[in-house]
Amino acid sequence: RTPQYRETRTFEFHDDGFRVRSSSATGEAKWSVVAKVDRRPDFYLMWVGPHHFHILPRAAMTEEQEGELDELFRRHVPAYDG
């Protein structure tokens, strides 16, 4: 129904926040917009609003990338359950 929700997104995470890119848009945000992160067996849910989240599939990451992301979440997201 909404084509942009079906687009593949690429995330770049750093100490200041993160960047999201797709074929139709690019955006950046500070960590302060992340309300919480839920770590699930196969993915992370990164909540950026009460009804809006990004799904980050763990299978798309190397072990090293996942470790770096875990560390960023621990440092910057008080409501991280990892």
Side-chain angles (χ1 to χ4, degrees), residues 13 36-47 53-59 61-63 65-71 73-74 80-82:
F13 295 93
K36 70 177 183 171
V37 174
D38 295 322
R39 183 178 177 174
R40 304 290 171 89
D42 296 326
F43 55 87
Y44 296 90
L45 290 177
M46 186 172 71
W47 294 86
F53 55 84
H54 295 289
I55 300 171
L56 309 171
R58 294 173 65 189
M61 304 174 206
T62 65
E63 280 187 39
Q65 289 171 327
E66 190 172 345
E68 291 170 359
L69 188 58
D70 272 334
E71 182 58 32
F73 287 157
R74 282 188 192 96
Y80 175 51
D81 71 355

Side-chain angles (χ1 to χ4, degrees), residues 1 7 17 30-31 35 44 52 59 67 72 81:
R1 297 189 175 145
E7 291 179 343
K30 301 278 187 195
W31 285 112
Y44 296 90
H52 186 84
L72 285 169
D81 71 355

Side-chain angles (χ1 to χ4, degrees), residues 3-55:
Q4 61 265 36
Y5 288 128
R6 298 184 187 278
E7 291 179 343
T8 298
R9 291 180 171 86
T10 301
F11 289 80
E12 298 172 20
F13 295 93
H14 45 83
D15 272 321
D16 293 333
F18 61 96
R19 175 180 293 172
V20 184
R21 288 183 289 134
S22 71
S23 60
S24 65
T26 298
E28 290 189 47
K30 301 278 187 195
W31 285 112
S32 59
V33 305
V34 179
K36 70 177 183 171
V37 174
D38 295 322
R39 183 178 177 174
R40 304 290 171 89
D42 296 326
F43 55 87
Y44 296 90
L45 290 177
M46 186 172 71
W47 294 86
V48 292
H51 304 290
H52 186 84
F53 55 84
H54 295 289
I55 300 171

